[in-house]
Amino acid sequence: MITHPCLHPSLSKPSLSFLSSSSPPFLQHLSFLPTSPSITKPVLVHSVKPLHVKCSSTNPTSQSHPDHAPPISTLKIAIIGFGNYGQFLAKTLVSQGHIVLAHSRSDYSHVAKKLGVSFFLNPHDLCEQHPEVILLCTSIISTEQVLKTLPLQRLKRSTLFVDVLSVKEFARNLLLDALPPDFDIICSHPMFGPQSAKQSCKDLFFVYEKVRIGNEFSRVQRCEQFLGIFQTEGCKMVEMSCQEHDKLAAGSQFMTHTVGRVLDMLGLESTPINTKGYETLLDLVENTCRDSFDLYYGLFLYNKSALEMVERLDLAFDALRNELFGRLHYVVRKQFFENGEKVKSVHDSSYQNGAASAFSSNALRSQDVTIPYEFKGKILESVDDSSKLKVAIVGFGNFGQFLAKTLARQGHSVLAYSRTDYRDAAQKLGVSFFSDANDLCEEHPEVILLCTSILSTEKVLKSLPFQRLKRSTLFVDVLSVKEFPRNLFLQHLPPEFDILCTHPMFGPESGKNGWNELPFVFDKVRIGNDERRVARCNSFLDIFAREGCRMVEMTCAEHDWHAAGSQFITHTMGRVLEKLQLESTPINTKGYETLLKLVENTAGDSFELYYGLFMYNVNAMEQLERMDFAFESLKKQLFGRLHGVLRKELFGDSEKLEVLQEKSVGKNGAALSSSPESVKIS
């Protein structure tokens, strides 16, 4: 994993002004930039087909009914480009009994031998074997060069050419331009790779367009036989035009790779308190960082929709950041200029930001305090299982009701208080509801469980009539930030009261199927030495231990350090993607499904929760800045390389001539004329 600890804050956003209608002909030929009326667009040999989606689930010969799959006869298939992906496909081809040949600029003869593949260093030798199918597994950027080096004259006429590039319009136009009209063409995209299909290709998408297939029965049959290879493996076969593929892939594959690379630059690491959402981000990084930057750059350069996606992602991140800072500016202005409370506000901010020197994150952070606590066994040995608690839930919204279900099911006596009348919801759960905090406190609950929002916690806490509670009452919070409530409790609660800061790192969505193995973080901030008070604290923790939670004891400062790098980043990325209004496509990759699920999980939470994660975690601002710098750095990589292409096109005539001469020598063994007039850039 690549880590960028010092992404410089002075990085300026790259200008897109050079991508104008007067762009050089080379870039216009790539069909990813608009052209001015005065510039002639390249003529397309093959008209674009209307979208036609044919999934295996509706195909009578689909893998969903393997008994009806068409029989696969042996094909002789030559793989051009025998790197990781070529080898990955070769395993399946060989396993199905096909004759597989391979050619690559690098010597992979030892790998080919292990796979049962015949390897050729010289493309002439390979083409003289007269393969029925040429399968191009080259990188996007090198495809044109590799295609031009193939001795097409040594192949049989009507040979079937198939590409597996991640962009399709570029490949389609290139094959139509470079291949003789006798050759057949299929443009395909297996939307999986060695990582996502390491177990099986079943139910993974295989997109294809029959760009040019001859009318002879043998050629039609050969085309179906090749497609049958992937159908037999259980792929979802989707037929659509190359244009439609690229439109959909820009919103799924390119976006997935972009998010994965931004997160990779942050150097994300697993924490002792990973949420499910954060786990999906770690998986996304793992799946995307293994691909080369050339693949990612190819997705950007050769898909005309990709630039729009970069701009939309940039605008979405800026909009979210402005939303956060706008709310922050309002809070600061209100504190400093309204009601003459300036002095009080400055004092309050010392603990609202978690920045009080006495409780500095850096001062408390230690690997020694991050220990999984074997809690369940210890509790069951020391506490009578029949003892139940009287728990008062203050704040009976979604999360309060979510916890109340489990508390009531375990037999605890549950009371509830909220500003909103949740009397009906409480009655259904077997909970006693109070609309007056005085009435609640006079019931002398053993535990006050605060389930308020982060922003309203201080106000609610100050409104409780502490004098009506028993001395030594246990106060527990479940906020997503921990230093803020810890300092708040220590400042406002009488010294006799016990304090337990907790964070169930799950909610109604992620915990709907049970809490087993979900992390529950806690810090015994202040628990009296009396045996009954210790037992009461343990009894409360046992509620979560009995549900199978992974009990993790750590300081509030340590929690906030980890949470800023996991929970805040997860919510930030989810809200950025939400602003893009991503939609499911007929060809979702597993990575894109991850992004859609992330949006679904985070969009259900209020903006107040997200703002609270930002406002009351001292580490959040740093993480927001690092995400900004990472995205800017990634754009600089993309546009920096693109600038090199433009510069070479505009100023590198001599370099172009030299390159063409080298290509000519390599292909024909004869030097190209050095006359500038003879140079023609296609």
Side-chain angles (χ1 to χ4, degrees):
M1 185 175 294
I2 302 172
T3 304
H4 293 260
C6 299
L7 293 169
H8 199 277
S10 63
L11 292 176
S12 59
K13 295 187 178 182
S15 171
L16 308 184
S17 59
F18 62 85
L19 300 179
S20 64
S21 59
S22 58
S23 300
F26 169 73
L27 294 177
Q28 295 160 8
H29 177 69
L30 296 180
S31 301
F32 81 106
L33 294 175
T35 55
S36 65
S38 60
I39 299 177
T40 304
K41 295 183 180 180
V43 177
L44 297 181
V45 181
H46 186 75
S47 61
V48 177
K49 295 180 180 179
L51 173 63
H52 174 61
V53 179
K54 182 176 66 176
C55 295
S56 62
S57 59
T58 59
N59 187 349
T61 61
S62 75
Q63 182 60 21
S64 60
H65 304 283
D67 295 338
H68 300 148
I72 304 298
S73 59
T74 301
L75 291 172
K76 183 187 285 188
I77 302 173
I79 297 178
I80 308 297
F82 204 58
N84 288 337
Y85 201 78
Q87 296 168 29
F88 165 67
L89 292 182
K91 292 177 184 178
T92 296
L93 299 177
V94 171
S95 71
Q96 290 191 13
H98 299 285
I99 300 170
V100 183
L101 322 174
H103 161 68
S104 196
R105 288 173 295 181
S106 301
D107 188 354
Y108 288 113
S109 54
H110 60 293
V111 178
K113 186 176 181 180
K114 291 180 180 178
L115 296 175
V117 173
S118 301
F119 187 80
F120 299 86
L121 273 175
N122 191 318
H124 289 262
D125 295 335
L126 177 128
C127 291
E128 286 176 352
Q129 296 295 316
H130 287 172
E132 299 168 85
V133 180
I134 298 289
L135 183 58
L136 290 172
C137 293
T138 53
S139 69
I140 301 174
I141 296 174
S142 65
T143 299
E144 182 173 7
Q145 180 184 355
V146 170
L147 193 58
K148 290 180 177 179
T149 63
L150 290 179
L152 303 178
Q153 71 279 5
R154 301 194 182 279
L155 293 169
K156 279 188 175 181
R157 292 170 297 171
S158 80
T159 300
L160 172 61
F161 270 73
V162 184
D163 84 283
V164 291
L165 299 189
S166 302
V167 290
K168 299 269 56 82
E169 279 194 279
F170 164 70
R172 174 182 176 279
N173 294 338
L174 182 63
L175 290 172
L176 287 170
D177 184 53
L179 296 178
D182 321 87
F183 287 10
D184 288 346
I185 300 171
I186 296 177
C187 284
S188 76
H189 182 196
M191 300 196 68
F192 48 85
Q195 181 64 23
S196 55
K198 58 184 176 183
Q199 302 298 332
S200 168
C201 297
K202 183 174 175 57
D203 291 330
L204 299 179
F205 289 107
F206 183 91
V207 183
Y208 65 96
E209 180 183 0
K210 300 174 183 177
V211 176
R212 187 172 65 199
I213 304 296
N215 294 325
E216 292 90 338
F217 174 76
S218 59
R219 295 167 73 170
V220 173
Q221 184 182 44
R222 180 182 58 189
C223 169
E224 296 303 324
Q225 287 173 349
F226 178 81
L227 295 174
I229 293 170
F230 298 91
Q231 187 173 318
T232 298
E233 294 299 314
C235 294
K236 290 184 177 179
M237 309 298 289
V238 181
E239 184 174 9
M240 64 171 57
S241 70
C242 294
Q243 181 182 21
E244 185 68 14
H245 167 279
D246 283 2
K247 180 180 179 182
L248 296 172
S252 58
Q253 194 175 29
F254 178 74
M255 182 59 65
T256 303
H257 277 261
T258 300
V259 172
R261 287 187 173 272
V262 169
L263 295 173
D264 184 36
M265 287 181 169
L266 295 177
L268 300 187
E269 296 179 351
S270 183
T271 76
I273 54 175
N274 291 350
T275 59
K276 283 189 174 182
Y278 188 60
E279 289 284 356
T280 62
L281 294 189
L282 292 176
D283 290 341
L284 181 64
V285 171
E286 181 182 357
N287 290 339
T288 53
C289 71
R290 294 186 181 185
D291 296 319
S292 67
F293 188 81
D294 281 349
L295 168 62
Y296 175 61
Y297 178 66
L299 293 174
F300 169 72
L301 187 61
Y302 296 106
N303 190 327
K304 61 187 179 184
S305 303
L307 182 60
E308 176 191 353
M309 298 307 299
V310 172
E311 292 174 335
R312 289 181 63 206
L313 187 62
D314 197 9
L315 291 173
F317 185 78
D318 284 345
L320 181 64
R321 187 173 48 186
N322 291 338
E323 201 171 350
L324 282 175
F325 293 158
R327 178 81 66 94
L328 182 62
H329 177 266
Y330 170 77
V331 172
V332 172
R333 186 178 185 280
K334 186 174 182 180
Q335 286 183 344
F336 275 80
F337 299 106
E338 290 186 10
N339 302 325
E341 296 183 350
K342 178 176 179 180
V343 175
K344 177 180 180 297
S345 300
V346 172
H347 171 71
D348 289 346
S349 65
S350 66
Y351 65 82
Q352 286 179 348
N353 295 329
S357 59
F359 306 108
S360 165
S361 297
N362 294 330
L364 289 176
R365 188 165 182 261
S366 166
Q367 293 297 326
D368 296 334
V369 299
T370 311
I371 54 173
Y373 190 59
E374 297 294 337
F375 198 80
K376 187 171 183 178
K378 294 183 179 180
I379 290 300
L380 294 178
E381 291 173 4
S382 59
V383 178
D384 183 5
D385 188 53
S386 64
S387 67
K388 303 301 178 183
L389 295 172
K390 183 186 285 189
V391 182
I393 297 178
V394 177
F396 203 58
N398 288 337
F399 198 76
Q401 295 172 31
F402 169 65
L403 294 181
K405 292 178 184 178
T406 297
L407 294 173
R409 177 171 51 78
Q410 288 191 10
H412 299 284
S413 177
V414 184
L415 320 175
Y417 162 71
S418 195
R419 290 173 294 181
T420 305
D421 188 355
Y422 288 114
R423 198 177 310 274
D424 292 341
Q427 186 177 5
K428 291 179 182 178
L429 295 172
V431 172
S432 301
F433 185 81
F434 297 84
S435 57
D436 189 311
N438 290 279
D439 295 336
L440 176 91
C441 292
E442 286 177 353
E443 294 292 323
H444 289 172
E446 300 168 84
V447 180
I448 298 289
L449 181 58
L450 284 177
C451 293
T452 55
S453 69
I454 300 174
L455 300 182
S456 64
T457 299
E458 182 175 10
K459 181 179 179 181
V460 171
L461 186 63
K462 288 180 178 180
S463 71
L464 293 179
F466 300 138
Q467 72 280 4
R468 301 194 184 280
L469 293 168
K470 280 188 177 181
R471 293 171 296 172
S472 80
T473 301
L474 172 61
F475 270 73
V476 184
D477 84 285
V478 290
L479 299 189
S480 302
V481 291
K482 296 271 58 80
E483 282 195 279
F484 165 63
R486 175 187 185 276
N487 297 337
L488 197 62
F489 281 163
L490 289 171
Q491 180 173 356
H492 293 289
L493 291 180
E496 299 89 3
F497 285 11
D498 287 347
I499 300 172
L500 178 65
C501 287
T502 77
H503 182 197
M505 301 196 69
F506 50 89
E509 180 63 29
S510 55
K512 62 185 177 183
N513 296 319
W515 301 354
N516 192 49
E517 289 303 315
L518 298 177
F520 181 90
V521 183
F522 64 97
D523 183 6
K524 298 177 182 179
V525 176
R526 187 173 68 198
I527 304 297
N529 294 326
D530 183 271
E531 183 178 340
R532 290 173 299 177
R533 295 166 73 170
V534 173
R536 179 182 59 192
C537 174
N538 290 341
S539 294
F540 179 81
L541 292 173
D542 189 43
I543 294 169
F544 298 89
R546 293 186 184 196
E547 295 299 317
C549 291
R550 183 163 54 87
M551 308 297 287
V552 182
E553 183 173 11
M554 63 170 56
T555 67
C556 292
E558 186 73 11
H559 168 279
D560 283 2
W561 173 272
H562 289 306
S566 60
Q567 194 177 28
F568 179 71
I569 285 180
T570 303
H571 277 262
T572 299
M573 192 56 69
R575 288 189 173 273
V576 169
L577 295 173
E578 181 190 12
K579 290 182 178 296
L580 296 179
Q581 298 181 331
L582 301 183
E583 296 180 352
S584 183
T585 75
I587 53 173
N588 290 350
T589 60
K590 283 190 173 181
Y592 189 59
E593 290 284 357
T594 296
L595 297 189
L596 293 175
K597 188 66 176 177
L598 178 64
V599 172
E600 180 184 345
N601 289 340
T602 53
D605 296 319
S606 66
F607 187 82
E608 281 67 26
L609 169 63
Y610 174 62
Y611 177 69
L613 294 175
F614 168 72
M615 180 71 175
Y616 296 108
N617 190 328
V618 70
N619 307 289
M621 179 70 80
E622 175 191 353
Q623 294 297 337
L624 191 66
E625 290 175 345
R626 292 182 68 232
M627 287 186 71
D628 190 18
F629 301 151
F631 185 48
E632 294 303 322
S633 178
L634 182 63
K635 286 194 298 181
K636 277 184 172 290
Q637 280 184 276
L638 285 175
F639 297 133
R641 184 175 291 201
L642 186 58
H643 178 265
V645 174
L646 284 165
R647 187 179 184 282
K648 201 167 189 178
E649 175 68 23
L650 293 172
F651 305 109
D653 285 343
S654 59
E655 295 178 15
K656 286 187 291 185
L657 179 59
E658 182 180 345
V659 169
L660 288 174
Q661 287 176 328
E662 291 176 356
K663 286 183 179 179
S664 178
V665 170
K667 182 176 180 180
N668 303 320
L672 190 70
S673 170
S674 60
S675 171
E677 288 78 8
S678 65
V679 179
K680 180 180 179 182
I681 305 299
S682 60

